[in-house]
Amino acid sequence: MRTNESPQFLLLQSRRTTDPTAGHEHECFAESLNVPLKQVQVHNLVEAMPTPNLLDNKLLLLGGSGEFSVLDSEPFVRKFIELLENEVLRNKRPTFCSCFGFQALVLAGGGSVIHDTPNTEVGTFELTLTDAGTSDPLMASLGPSFKAQQGHKDRADRLPSGIQNLAYSERVPYQAFRVTDAPIFATQFHPELSMAANTKRYLWYKERYGKVDVDNDAVLSSMEETTESTSLLRRWVAEVI
């Protein structure tokens, strides 16, 4: 990427157009990157896969998914994983994946993902760096432990070969990795979400199912500020450029 130009971002979004969090996710990525909203272009994967030309000269962003899982039989999910394998991994396109994007990248690289409701993480959780994480250029400044925003029921059960795990939590063993010799980084947690943003998103989903009880909600009580982990995206961009 030419350093004399502002980076252009492409958010590959796995959400229905009727999902109210689609616009919120767009705003959150732009805010965490500290760039204008218009600098982050959005492409809806549910409707169609992007062409290689659309991916060219972009920093790719992959976030959450709302109602979808990487284990679904939805046609777009299979096509998305193939896109990651054939276009992102093979061509080493600069990419940052979180949550659903993290899990899809695991599958694209040959790892495995499982549905693990007992170890669901929703809210703010403490993560710990692995030995590899303590020497990683991006992760080392967070450690040895840090807080991060979470919102998932699926998790990686086995990482692709040749990939080192950089962080873990009490419930989930694989929380972050980078692809060797490629500008590709992935986190199970949401570095694009602040405490306020994660709270807002959680309440949206709770209201959708009529389960709001603010005074007795353990998830809301768990929410904390996560300044360190929300700096990851900006520092990844600086590293790529």
Side-chain angles (χ1 to χ4, degrees):
M1 177 169 291
R2 294 185 294 272
T3 57
N4 62 338
E5 295 182 1
S6 297
Q8 296 301 306
F9 301 93
L10 179 63
L11 172 59
L12 299 178
Q13 205 164 52
S14 301
R15 299 178 184 274
R16 297 191 192 278
T17 55
T18 55
D19 185 342
T21 63
H24 182 247
E25 181 176 61
H26 186 194
E27 294 168 358
C28 288
F29 269 105
E31 183 175 347
S32 64
L33 290 164
N34 194 29
V35 300
L37 195 63
K38 64 181 180 180
Q39 201 168 326
V40 182
Q41 183 180 353
V42 177
H43 179 85
N44 191 313
L45 294 168
V46 180
E47 297 182 342
M49 291 299 109
T51 64
N53 286 343
L54 182 61
L55 303 178
D56 289 343
N57 301 313
K58 305 284 199 326
L59 300 187
L60 305 182
L61 307 170
L62 313 175
S65 62
E67 65 190 270
F68 299 109
S69 163
V70 295
L71 302 175
D72 288 345
S73 58
E74 291 278 348
F76 95 86
V77 173
R78 300 303 102 196
K79 291 178 181 177
F80 174 40
I81 293 170
E82 291 173 4
L83 178 82
L84 291 178
E85 179 182 1
N86 297 326
E87 282 294 336
V88 172
L89 291 174
R90 184 170 298 169
N91 295 326
K92 299 183 178 181
R93 295 183 185 273
T95 305
F96 196 108
C97 304
S98 69
C99 199
F100 180 85
F102 170 93
Q103 296 159 8
L105 192 65
V106 167
L107 293 180
S112 64
V113 173
I114 61 173
H115 188 65
D116 188 7
T117 301
N119 288 307
T120 292
E121 291 178 319
V122 181
T124 307
F125 286 78
E126 184 171 34
L127 277 63
T128 303
L129 294 183
T130 64
D131 289 343
T134 59
S135 60
D136 182 82
L138 290 183
M139 299 295 289
S141 63
L142 304 181
S145 63
F146 61 97
K147 298 291 180 67
Q149 305 300 335
Q150 299 273 15
H152 67 93
K153 293 180 181 178
D154 297 341
R155 67 171 179 85
D157 181 53
R158 175 175 53 83
L159 293 184
S161 61
I163 296 297
Q164 288 186 308
N165 182 40
L166 303 177
Y168 62 93
S169 67
E170 184 177 340
R171 298 183 185 182
V172 174
Y174 305 120
Q175 290 279 0
F177 69 86
R178 69 164 70 233
V179 175
T180 306
D181 298 325
I184 302 172
F185 203 91
T187 64
Q188 175 57 74
F189 57 94
H190 285 275
E192 76 276 13
L193 294 182
S194 63
M195 171 185 170
N198 202 18
T199 300
K200 185 175 184 178
R201 184 172 297 181
Y202 174 69
L203 286 174
W204 262 336
Y205 285 124
K206 291 279 282 188
E207 289 167 358
R208 182 175 181 178
Y209 297 106
K211 297 180 179 179
V212 178
D213 184 0
V214 173
D215 295 331
N216 296 291
D217 195 303
V219 171
L220 291 177
S221 299
S222 81
M223 297 288 190
E224 297 182 41
E225 296 291 352
T226 52
T227 306
E228 293 83 2
S229 59
T230 52
S231 71
L232 270 178
L233 278 158
R234 292 190 298 276
R235 291 190 293 107
W236 170 75
V237 172
E239 180 182 275
V240 170
I241 294 177

